[in-house]
Amino acid sequence: RILIEQSRDGIVTLDQNGNVYETNLKFAEMLGYSPEEVLKLHLLDSISKIRFAENEYVFVNAMDGKALVTHGRYNNPPRDILASGDTAWIAIFRVKQSSAANPPGVFHTYRWALLSSTKTSAKTAYFSYIPTWQWVIGMGFYEDDVNSVISLRRKELIEDMWKTVRSVMIYL
């Protein structure tokens, strides 16, 4: 560890997928970044790849209004939420900012466009503030997605119930 940190050569360690795992100060300087900035870049890239379902993703915003990860995409350079002119996005960002005053985080329900279409749906999201980097990170779910799963499970449950009723009736 000491040899890597004190080396005059730039050293980067990659994981089996080719993602940056670790760098030394010299490598970060060669790129014009601090080691912490390299870590942030790696985290943002990794976070952008997280998916829970087709329309569900993690998002990251800086408290100054820069969208770092949006719709599951790493924004390099960051998108400026406040200069976007999108009043809905700006309003939701203001709620995200409120998570700084609520350390456990904030739940909020709002209408938002699905990634897979132009349709909007009620979305419930959780926002949490990361003070060290002045980031708000969050993710949410669309009520339509949850309702469709509930509907499918209800149908399966009813089918199973009728199978059980038929089985019991045969024995009677």
Side-chain angles (χ1 to χ4, degrees):
R1 178 91 186 139
I2 292 172
L3 290 173
I4 291 172
E5 289 176 6
Q6 295 181 355
S7 175
R8 288 191 255 162
D9 296 320
I11 298 174
V12 61
T13 306
L14 304 176
D15 66 15
Q16 65 270 19
N17 298 317
N19 297 311
V20 174
Y21 176 74
E22 175 184 37
T23 68
N24 67 353
L25 180 59
K26 188 65 177 175
F27 178 79
E29 288 173 354
M30 290 168 58
L31 296 176
Y33 295 111
S34 70
E36 183 175 2
E37 288 171 316
V38 172
L39 176 61
K40 287 180 184 180
L41 295 171
H42 172 65
L43 283 174
L44 292 170
D45 182 58
S46 297
I47 288 168
S48 71
K49 296 172 185 168
I50 297 171
R51 284 280 191 282
F52 301 100
E54 181 180 8
N55 289 302
E56 296 174 7
Y57 49 87
V58 178
F59 47 83
V60 182
N61 301 139
M63 289 298 282
D64 65 359
K66 302 295 189 262
L68 306 172
V69 175
T70 318
H71 299 122
R73 285 188 296 275
Y74 172 40
N75 300 317
N76 192 8
R79 295 176 61 193
D80 190 336
I81 298 167
L82 302 174
S84 70
D86 184 334
T87 56
W89 195 16
I90 294 168
I92 293 164
F93 175 69
R94 296 291 184 213
V95 175
K96 292 175 185 179
Q97 284 180 310
S98 74
S99 67
N102 297 290
V106 175
F107 282 97
H108 184 65
T109 301
Y110 53 97
R111 295 211 56 87
W112 198 251
L114 299 168
L115 286 180
S116 60
S117 72
T118 57
K119 178 184 167 193
T120 63
S121 175
K123 181 176 186 174
T124 298
Y126 176 75
F127 316 124
S128 184
Y129 178 58
I130 312 297
T132 306
W133 290 343
Q134 303 258 314
W135 287 357
V136 175
I137 188 168
M139 69 89 45
F141 66 89
Y142 289 93
E143 290 181 14
D144 289 349
D145 291 344
V146 172
N147 291 337
S148 66
V149 170
I150 290 171
S151 177
L152 178 65
R153 298 291 183 249
R154 180 179 289 130
K155 181 180 175 185
E156 291 170 351
L157 181 63
I158 290 170
E159 288 174 5
D160 286 347
M161 180 189 70
W162 281 114
K163 283 180 186 175
T164 302
V165 168
R166 282 188 217 105
S167 296
V168 169
M169 303 242 338
I170 288 173
Y171 290 112
L172 295 177

